[in-house]
Structure formats: C-alpha cells, structure tokens
Amino acid sequence: MRGGTTSGVIYPLAVCALAEHYTFRNVGGASAGAIGAATTAAAEYGRYRQPAAPVTGEAVHPGFAGWPG
C-alpha cells in the first residue's frame, strides 16, 4: 500500500470490500498505506483468533499491567 491522503481514505473502503471475499496474508505499506496495512493485519488477526478466557482469581492484579497501584 502506498502513502498519501487519498490512499488513507480509499484503502479502508477497499479492504472492507475485499475482505468479504479474500483473506489477507501479507500486507505492508508506507505512510498512510502503513496505517491501512496495520489495521488490515489487526482485523485479520481478530477474525481468526481464539476468544480470550475470563481472568479470575490469582490472575487479577491491582494497578496497570500488574504493577502495584
């Protein structure tokens, strides 16, 4: 994906249309295209990842990221 303002507007729409029929495996880009590529990769990851298990009991820590707080 290339950069540029127009690309930043067009890529999300194009990716949404293509995602209805295709699976994205390798994406990359520069400037605005990199933002589009990153969100495309995140969306593909979210489409197929396993749901997170609930966090309970000893796994729960106070504060941010387990730091005391």
Side-chain angles (χ1 to χ4, degrees):
M1 297 181 170
R2 295 176 59 188
T5 304
T6 304
S7 299
V9 173
I10 298 299
Y11 284 146
L13 301 174
V15 166
C16 288
L18 290 171
E20 293 178 6
H21 304 285
Y22 299 99
T23 300
F24 294 97
R25 295 184 62 182
N26 295 311
V27 292
S31 188
I35 297 169
T39 54
T40 300
E44 281 297 327
Y45 176 77
R47 190 188 322 202
Y48 295 106
R49 75 172 182 87
Q50 295 290 330
V55 179
T56 59
E58 295 295 321
V60 179
H61 300 286
F64 177 75
W67 290 92

